Amino acid sequence: MAIKKPLDETSHLYLIDGSGYIFRAYHALPPLTRSDGTPVGAVQGFCNMLWKLLEDLKGEDAPSHLAVIFDHSGKSFRNEIYDQYKAHRPPAPEDLVPQFGLIRDATRAFGTPCIELENYEADDIIATYARMAEAKGAKVTIVSSDKDLMQLVSDRIDMFDAMKNKRIEAEQVVEKFGVGPDRVIDIQSLAGDSVDNVPGVPGIGVKTAALLINEYGDLDTLLERAGEIKQKGRREKLLAHAEDARISRQLVTLKTDTPVTDEMDEFGITDPDAETLVKFLKEMEFRTFTRKVEEALGGPVADETGDATAPIDRDSYECVTTMKQLQAWIEKARTAGVIAVDTETDALSATASGLVGICLATAPGEACYIPLAHVDPEGSGDMFDTGEKPDQIPMDDAIAALKPLLEDPAVLKVGQNFKYDLSVLARYGIDVAPYDDTMLISYVMEAGLHGHGMDELAEIHLGHQCIAFKEICGTGKNQISFDKVPLDKATQYAAEDADVTLRLWEILKPAMVSKKKATVYETLERPMAKVLSDMERVGVKVDPDQLRRLSSDFAQKMAAAEAAAHEAAGREFNVASPKQIGEILFGEMGLPGGKKTKTGAWSTDVTVLDQLAAEGHDLPVALLEYRQYAKLKSTYSDALFDHINPQTKRIHGSFSLAATTTGRLSSTEPNLQNIPIRTEAGRKIREVFIPEPGHVLVAADYSQIELRLLAHIAGVESLKQAFRDGQDIHAMTASEVFGVPVEGMDPMVRRKAKAINFGVIYGISAFGLANQIDVSREEAKNFIDAYFEKFPGIADYMERMKKEAKDTGYVETVFGRRCHFPGIRDKNPNMRMFAERQAINAPIQGSAADVIRRAMIRMDDALRAANLDARMLLQVHDELVFEVPEDQADRLIDLASKVMGEACAPALELSVPLDVDAKAGKSWAEAH
DNA sequence: GTGTTCACG
DNA sequence: GACGTACGTGAACACC
């Protein structure tokens, strides 16, 4: 044990308010759990703060002595003075409780004294030591932002807010209380504190208290001369509550003579013992932080290969260019039983790119790259190119050798976003199985907390920065495809991906098992990679001639609308520029528009232009017309044409499995989930989606799936019954809420009820509903109240989700999918309310997403068993689109409806039926 | 790169 | 008492 330095006038003592810090860290930081489920978010926040403090303060303000002070659990002497003290405090959140002990362990692991005292609060102990050190002539810094400690500030004592990184001295105290530190107690005695339940004098806040104290000097004088106060209210309040003020003073005055036993000399600072600290941090699974500490303290840095957290060495990877080498790796892979696989291609598209190379990793740090289609890096690819290629194994030989391994049921293949590799390898005749996907494992544990791309996961879990793709291939128009990358560089980049993937799997897979998310992963995520890979490779047929005709038709209509707009405006301008439109409408024409966007620009969206059009103006009509056709042309007719694959003549979009917070899929390049349908002109786009000759398209969609799930989850008996009876649910809602009969109902009334039903799913607010159906906010409020009354269970459901999200940071779907909302603890109330609405919506939207995933996963087998030659083409959240020979359409409709309707069984028995509407047609429009 | 708008569920 | 507010996506375009 190092000899500690006695505390004297040259010393600088740091006293850390451990308890205060715990609560702030807990509320400010996203929830984080160790792989065994123990919550450790606040522990990490605490360790970071302590470490940063020790690192940052190595300069002139460096602590010579340091201790962390905690509240002792249970009551303190203040409860004897006033039994209501801190009586309103809710108990500590469930996931914070186990962290109290861990944070004390952390303090000790840092080699720092950890102090608490029965019957006293941390503040009293801090006050005692601070005054003791001050008396010895030392400097003191109290690390806390608690205003109750500000009474201690003096020439030699200051405070430091570690989260805001801000010093608090006398000047900041005056800012806060309007008086110097010596009078802070008087202010608090008068103003009280609702959080600690210190009564004070009712009606007097900090501002008034400061005014009074500055006038009368101190609390005793003020209370003696209270009768002289001119304002009647204040005078009477003070006279009536003088005793409360005196009790409050006893409560807020910190004790400076607590019977502390630890000597300050023992607080002398020493470097933490690397071994102890690293051991603790590893137990907490703070990987990035552990490495940082290891490097700084020069402790035992793990370097054995085989350890997922060992440093990554890009130069250790092997470039495989002979069959002999390849055979050796295949042998090694079979022995390992689990390997990471990554494919490199000459383009981004999984459905249109050529295979360039394959990487394998058999253990952390043991990876190879097998180049297959690299070309001469210097070659320009033009007619002068010599066509000289680097030595590599012929594609066919490599594929033939790898196929048995990649299809071997005894060897688990691990990938990152493996749907991509499945697609590429499938086009070379390899049906990879079994497999795991680190992206999807991460997604089931952490959806909503961060992205799940490899670079991000490597940074989070391994503290490692992967080589960026653009470092290898460049960016913009100078970008080269991967087959032109020299083999040495390609090996470093590509094999690193496989290495990282395998390491991530070693960390994430056990973590997922202890978090009990393996079932969600195995039943809702992993199988989807293959389902979607198959679907994307099939693609969907469009009529290219019809698309061309539509584009030119839209172009004509745009030109006409543009001319009309210029005519109406009286001059030429860019009709596509919202900025210029705003200037003309609300500047030059001086129309009353009102709405501004959040950046302060005039809003010119469809609601604004519709309003102006309804008032009889011509320009907004022309603009709306222009916008409609511009949208259809650029986003749909032109873009879809460009996405036709020249080989297959079909469009192969990509569906993302881990992009949303709720478990829905998303669709890109092109987005096939937002093809128009609501307007007549838009439907023309849907007519372009067609089947092969002799086939039809079948569209099958769930009817009201989200409302049905809401009825089930919230347990709303009347709603459930209505669904069982096959009623028109919006009409039924209207009848209940507005008290009108279903027979002969005004369509407007039904429309309003429909809006309420949707609103409920979205986390309704009176303002939002009022906006949607154009009624006053009061009226909207009445509708909502009536709704809650008629359907008991809904309001309760909403409260439950808000609470669950607040307590745990997440909510779950009926199948156990977890959706996280870090914003639920944001200090900004708007962010919080936003997160609350998300938490209300997510279990409904997410459960619906789970249901259709289950149906999709079963569909392939069901089609085969029924001998149907149908292929699944698209998913649009509550709808599946198939292509099937004409004469099998009816059978497909029956089968798809059955699989979709029974998708919950046997895992879950839903208390409402899931109805499916399915129809066949010669285009997607017709199949609706 | 950000903001606005608009297509879908 | 004021504040800002329906949920989830992706793509195109203007503008910096």
Side-chain angles (χ1 to χ4, degrees), chain A residues 704-729 732-733 736 757 787 790-794 800 908-915:
Chain A
Q704 308 290 358
I705 187 169
E706 293 195 350
L707 268 180
R708 285 169 198 261
L709 288 167
L710 172 67
H712 171 84
I713 299 171
V716 188
E717 213 38 63
S718 53
L719 268 181
K720 289 198 253 179
Q721 195 55 48
F723 280 124
R724 284 186 209 120
D725 297 345
Q727 285 191 43
D728 174 341
I729 203 68
M732 180 263 192
T733 305
E736 290 285 331
N757 278 331
Y787 186 96
K790 293 289 178 185
F791 303 110
I794 303 268
R800 258 175 32 232
L908 174 74
E909 195 182 338
L910 220 53
S911 50
V912 289
L914 288 181
D915 289 358

Side-chain angles (χ1 to χ4, degrees), chain A residues 729-742 745-757 764 769-770 773-776 778-791:
Chain A
I729 203 68
H730 300 314
M732 180 263 192
T733 305
S735 165
E736 290 285 331
V737 173
F738 303 115
V740 296
V742 171
M745 177 176 290
D746 177 359
M748 271 303 285
V749 174
R750 185 180 179 277
R751 221 199 84 220
K752 283 184 188 177
K754 187 174 171 182
I756 300 177
N757 278 331
I764 201 159
L769 181 63
I773 59 177
D774 210 22
V775 297
S776 74
E778 290 69 36
E779 246 180 300
K781 169 113 181 22
N782 291 338
F783 294 165
I784 294 169
D785 289 346
Y787 186 96
F788 284 163
E789 194 158 315
K790 293 289 178 185
F791 303 110

